[in-house]
Amino acid sequence: MRRPHIRSVAVAVAVTTAATGLAGTAFAGPDTGVERSAASAGTNTSAAVVKAARTAAFTHASATGVAQGDELHAQDVMIDPEGARHVRFARTHSGMPVLGGDLVVHLDAELAYTGVTRAAGHTVTPATTRARLTAQQAAAKAAQVAKGDAGSARLVVDARAGASALAYQVTVTDQQGTNTVVVDAVTGKVRSNTPDSDEFLSPKLLADLRKHGQTLDPATGTAAAPDSALAASGVAPYPTAGKGTGKTLFVGTVGLTTTATSKGHYLLKDPTRYGTETRDAKGSTTEKFSAGSTFTSTTDVWGNGTTGNRASAAADAQYGITKTLDFYRSTFGRKGIADNSKAAQGMVHWGSRVANAFWDPTCNCMLYGDGDGKTFKKPLVVLDVTGHELTHGVVDATAKLEPTYVDAQGNQYGEPGALNESLADVFGSNVEFYANNKNDTPDYLIGEKLGLAQKFLRRLDHPSLDKLEGTIDSWTPDTYYTEVHAGSGVSSHAYYLLAEGSGKKTINGVAYDSPTSNHSTVKGIGRTKATAIFYRALTRYMVSTTDFHGARVATLQAAKDLYGANSTEYKTVDKAWAAVNVTAANTPAARP
């Protein structure tokens, strides 16, 4: 069984602010006031912004933490409507990639430095750059630990655990996929061994469901009119866009944009959404999308609403993927999962008796199992599962939030990983609201169509009503040791309180009753504003080690950007986090 993907294990660090007055956060303001960059001020080109940000990072080294031997490699350039610029950097030291060395440099409209968000609060320079292990020895160690075939070992700096060390990074491949193993280059200790995929259901949850004999038979949709016109578009040169019909397992009959390859021949590929396509893995565990079999049709009708037709699950997957892409583009102007105008692919019928679905960065695609035939009896192609998992892809492309450690069974722990799961639930829920499909009522419940006895997997309004995973409502110091799906309730609850407020409420026929840990009353600002704040916080002010207190500061900064420091929105963000016991006063000290 595959396990959740993380590229590295990290711990959150706190960096004191100077300009914002928001103590105990990874957002640091200028150390000596605003200084003009050497880059041409006022230029809107990405090259000029990157140059200005890189120059500012070295000029303000005491705040940014960059040092001699460091090189900054731009991963993303974000330009806000009001003019602010943000450049996300990966770091190398003496030519070696730095794990946990990511940072975001913030500039104003004139390219002047305004602050930094950094993952590591310490210098990334290792104590030694001389390895005692050879690359061959490190690869052999990695192969032994991960039980597979090791690729070549490369030297890296591992700056994830409060100090920096010289290490080897090795990719190990087995029949189930790949693992990334990091081996200390001096001591030979395995610093991390992590699978390269993000699963929807944790190993612990699957084991508990099987132990208690729960059989999940997800509720299917009913036949309904498609959500787009299905009439033929007339004669056109090929290939061209087709207007297909998906007869899905879960959301009824829907419209799908397809590719007409010739007269009467169609491919389940959407040319209007970057060429997004769903293929059939046919029971294989391939991580190469090109190895999947294409879905073709002579009728442009996909599936028949039952598992007996292999295209039914494909119709669900294609619908979910394209609706997620549409949500991100319509709401935030994000063009694709990585904001690079590239397709988000999907493969259904992946593996044999796989009771899971996950985002796989190796193939940059969604992989869907058919269920194990016992606990899960249908493919996991539910809409909010797709929205949740593709959001892991968005996090991969932005903050790269990572758990602090993984146990021998593959369960993840730690606040950055829990924040990752929470954001996937938050935006996955928003995909449902965006799609507004009457066969899958938009709600703040996650996995409500999976057929669980408790009627949902997780919920945002009152997370602790989830007894399966033991999801928590609010933060305590022990949250650091909580499995990430259970820990996700802290920020999911804060989001719900920000959007809808505390107390009782009925939305789309679903009853909610959200408590607060401090017995306060929170009046929500609406889902649209709350979602805008959380997205801006993710893309501008979160890094791989951001914990819940860091998320509080990131969302406050985002609210300040969007609505002002004296706004109701800003004040409500603060109240929402306080209501889940995340405050400036109880910010924990950085872990060694």
Side-chain angles (χ1 to χ4, degrees):
M1 177 59 65
R2 298 176 63 84
R3 293 172 293 169
H5 159 68
I6 57 172
R7 272 178 304 280
S8 57
V9 182
V11 295
V13 294
V15 179
T16 305
T17 74
T20 64
L22 301 172
T25 173
F27 180 84
D31 49 355
T32 56
V34 174
E35 179 178 308
R36 297 288 179 181
S37 167
S40 53
T43 303
N44 288 329
T45 65
S46 292
V49 174
V50 169
K51 181 179 179 181
R54 185 179 287 114
T55 299
F58 283 92
T59 301
H60 298 273
S62 61
T64 63
V66 297
Q68 185 175 359
D70 289 355
E71 291 186 3
L72 301 180
H73 306 272
Q75 305 295 296
D76 198 5
V77 177
M78 297 154 282
I79 300 177
D80 298 334
E82 70 276 15
R85 281 93 163 102
H86 314 266
V87 182
R88 188 178 295 275
F89 288 108
R91 185 179 348 196
T92 60
H93 180 78
S94 297
M96 296 178 289
V98 179
L99 309 182
D102 51 303
L103 65 157
V104 183
V105 175
H106 310 291
L107 308 171
D108 67 13
E110 296 182 338
L111 303 186
Y113 172 78
T114 59
V116 65
T117 307
R118 50 191 283 200
H122 55 275
T123 178
V124 304
T125 305
T128 180
T129 56
R130 178 171 295 183
R132 291 184 181 176
L133 268 69
T134 66
Q136 291 76 15
Q137 288 172 323
K141 181 80 169 182
Q144 178 186 18
V145 170
K147 298 179 175 60
D149 299 322
S152 58
R154 67 170 182 171
L155 281 171
V156 299
V157 176
D158 189 355
R160 299 171 296 174
S164 298
L166 187 68
Y168 286 103
Q169 187 179 56
V170 187
T171 298
V172 179
T173 305
D174 63 15
Q175 292 183 345
Q176 295 298 310
T178 61
N179 277 40
T180 297
V181 182
V182 178
V183 179
D184 195 293
V186 177
T187 67
K189 176 185 176 181
V190 175
R191 299 178 68 86
S192 60
N193 171 23
T194 54
D196 295 329
S197 62
D198 271 303
E199 291 188 345
F200 183 66
L201 303 173
S202 70
K204 179 181 181 297
L205 175 61
L206 287 171
D208 287 346
L209 290 171
R210 289 163 181 154
K211 178 181 178 181
H212 293 96
Q214 278 209 48
T215 298
L216 310 187
D217 194 3
T220 58
T222 57
D227 61 0
S228 65
L230 304 178
S233 57
V235 178
Y238 297 103
T240 189
K243 295 184 178 180
T245 305
K247 295 189 175 181
T248 71
L249 297 174
F250 297 109
V251 289
T253 301
V254 297
L256 296 172
T257 302
T258 58
T259 298
T261 55
S262 63
K263 185 176 181 180
H265 295 87
Y266 303 93
L267 178 67
L268 191 54
K269 181 176 182 178
D270 190 335
T272 68
R273 295 175 176 87
Y274 324 114
T276 287
E277 181 180 2
T278 298
R279 292 189 176 185
D280 190 344
K282 292 191 171 180
S284 76
T285 55
T286 180
E287 292 183 274
K288 294 182 178 178
F289 183 74
S290 60
S293 298
T294 58
F295 279 99
T296 59
S297 170
T298 57
T299 62
D300 213 4
V301 176
W302 310 89
N304 63 4
T306 73
T307 56
N309 187 311
R310 299 183 72 82
S312 298
D316 276 286
Q318 185 76 355
Y319 175 80
I321 293 171
T322 53
K323 285 299 181 186
T324 302
L325 291 174
D326 288 353
F327 159 72
Y328 275 105
R329 182 159 189 170
S330 175
T331 309
F332 309 116
R334 189 175 188 86
K335 299 177 181 179
I337 297 305
D339 200 19
N340 58 1
S341 299
K342 290 187 178 181
Q345 314 288 18
M347 278 198 287
V348 293
H349 310 303
W350 189 89
S352 176
R353 297 187 176 275
V354 174
N356 228 320
F358 46 93
W359 167 257
D360 189 335
T362 301
C363 71
N364 194 39
C365 63
M366 280 293 303
L367 303 177
Y368 299 90
D370 281 336
D372 55 9
K374 295 180 180 179
T375 302
F376 282 90
K377 293 192 173 184
K378 287 188 177 71
L380 278 83
V381 288
V382 178
L383 178 60
D384 61 6
V385 172
T386 295
H388 172 105
E389 289 301 315
L390 285 177
T391 296
H392 281 312
V394 174
V395 175
D396 265 351
T398 54
K400 296 180 175 64
L401 291 161
E402 298 169 336
T404 53
Y405 62 99
V406 181
D407 69 16
Q409 288 71 47
N411 296 294
Q412 303 177 50
Y413 296 84
E415 292 186 22
L419 180 59
N420 191 339
E421 290 299 329
S422 169
L423 291 168
D425 282 352
V426 165
F427 292 114
S429 174
N430 270 274
V431 169
E432 274 193 5
F433 278 100
Y434 176 83
N436 197 26
N437 186 297
K438 67 180 182 181
N439 293 302
D440 193 349
T441 303
D443 52 41
Y444 290 103
L445 310 178
I446 303 299
E448 72 278 4
K449 293 182 73 69
L450 292 178
L452 292 161
Q454 71 178 19
K455 307 301 183 184
F456 55 87
L457 178 58
R458 289 182 297 277
R459 59 187 300 153
L460 279 61
D461 67 315
H462 195 165
S464 64
L465 292 178
D466 163 30
K467 303 304 180 184
L468 283 170
E469 294 177 303
T471 306
I472 58 178
D473 286 332
S474 56
W475 182 87
T476 70
D478 288 340
T479 301
Y480 176 85
Y481 305 102
T482 304
E483 192 274 332
V484 294
H485 295 85
S488 70
V490 175
S491 48
S492 293
H493 192 192
Y495 168 83
Y496 177 87
L497 290 167
L498 178 63
E500 302 292 350
S502 57
K504 295 182 178 180
K505 195 168 192 177
T506 299
I507 304 169
N508 292 338
V510 180
Y512 303 97
D513 190 359
S514 191
T516 59
S517 66
N518 58 359
H519 307 294
S520 65
T521 298
V522 179
K523 183 178 180 181
I525 62 172
R527 183 171 47 82
T528 298
K529 288 182 177 180
T531 303
I533 289 169
F534 268 63
Y535 178 79
R536 189 182 184 99
L538 166 65
T539 54
R540 272 69 168 170
Y541 301 112
M542 292 183 187
V543 287
S544 60
T545 59
T546 299
D547 60 6
F548 290 131
H549 286 79
R552 169 186 173 271
V553 174
T555 50
L556 281 170
Q557 184 65 42
K560 179 181 177 182
D561 291 349
L562 293 170
Y563 307 109
N566 294 318
S567 65
T568 297
E569 292 81 1
Y570 181 92
K571 294 173 183 177
T572 307
V573 169
D574 195 37
K575 290 178 182 177
W577 283 109
V580 298
N581 197 37
V582 176
T583 67
N586 64 15
T587 301
R591 293 179 181 271

